[in-house]
Amino acid sequence: MILRKEYWFEAAHFIYNHPGKCRNLHGHSYKLFVLLEGTVNPETGMIIDFDDLSKVVVEQVISKLDHRFLNDLIPLSTAENISVWIWEQLKPALPQLCQIEVYETSDNCVIYRGA
Ligand SMILES: Nc1nc2c(c(=O)[nH]1)N=C([C@H](O)[C@H](O)COP(=O)(O)OP(=O)(O)OP(=O)(O)O)CN2
Ligand SMILES: [Zn+2]
């Protein structure tokens, strides 16, 4: 079974080698989906408590990216590289992590499932 939770963060960035407008400093309201795959614990009825999941995601990702300048952490801050960075932050604490989805705009999304 797969569980999914949605998060948001606001951040600024520029893509220094982009041939178009994205080389200029600008911001996005990023949407992040975190997906875990696992079995349901018969005692709790849950794969993981959504609250416990949020503690990890907020501490490891949202608090580091929200209202930040992404290039400080991810120099070439494409949605692809942001996805890899988020995966590396979460996977050690969330072994059941199976997929993340990073929406840079409502119609631009990267899906990452690890290496
Ligand atoms: N593969 C990728 N392509 C682009 C990325 C990226 O991360 N990965 N990023 C950008 C820019 O950062 C930019 O944020 C894209 O936003 P925007 O141009 O507003 O989005 P649209 O493609 O929807 O542009 P519209 O002009 O609104 O159609 C560019 N490419
Ligand atoms: Zn952008």
Side-chain angles (χ1 to χ4, degrees):
M1 187 178 291
I2 295 176
L3 166 157
R4 187 183 80 177
K5 189 160 173 62
E6 177 179 345
Y7 300 89
W8 295 87
F9 59 93
E10 321 285 336
H13 82 147
F14 65 88
I15 299 179
Y16 57 77
N17 60 359
H18 193 269
K21 61 184 179 181
C22 298
R23 70 187 303 128
N24 300 324
L25 179 63
H26 62 280
H28 296 287
S29 294
Y30 289 89
K31 181 163 69 174
L32 167 65
F33 285 115
V34 175
L35 291 87
L36 303 188
E37 183 165 21
T39 53
V40 178
N41 180 325
E43 290 180 11
T44 63
M46 302 174 183
I47 297 172
I48 186 174
D49 189 321
F50 284 118
D51 294 341
D52 292 336
L53 172 59
S54 283
K55 282 176 194 157
V56 174
V57 176
V58 170
E59 182 180 326
Q60 297 299 324
V61 174
I62 305 300
S63 67
K64 297 175 184 174
L65 298 185
D66 190 35
H67 287 73
R68 304 289 176 140
F69 177 48
L70 295 182
N71 298 53
D72 285 343
L73 286 168
I74 308 157
L76 187 54
S77 55
T78 60
E80 290 88 335
N81 286 345
I82 294 167
S83 298
V84 172
W85 185 91
I86 291 173
W87 182 276
E88 290 171 352
Q89 298 300 306
L90 293 180
K91 189 63 175 172
L94 297 171
Q96 296 165 303
L97 185 68
C98 65
Q99 180 166 307
I100 59 171
E101 300 172 23
V102 175
Y103 283 79
E104 192 170 57
T105 67
S106 58
D107 51 2
N108 293 354
C109 173
V110 165
I111 297 173
Y112 187 56
R113 297 180 178 140

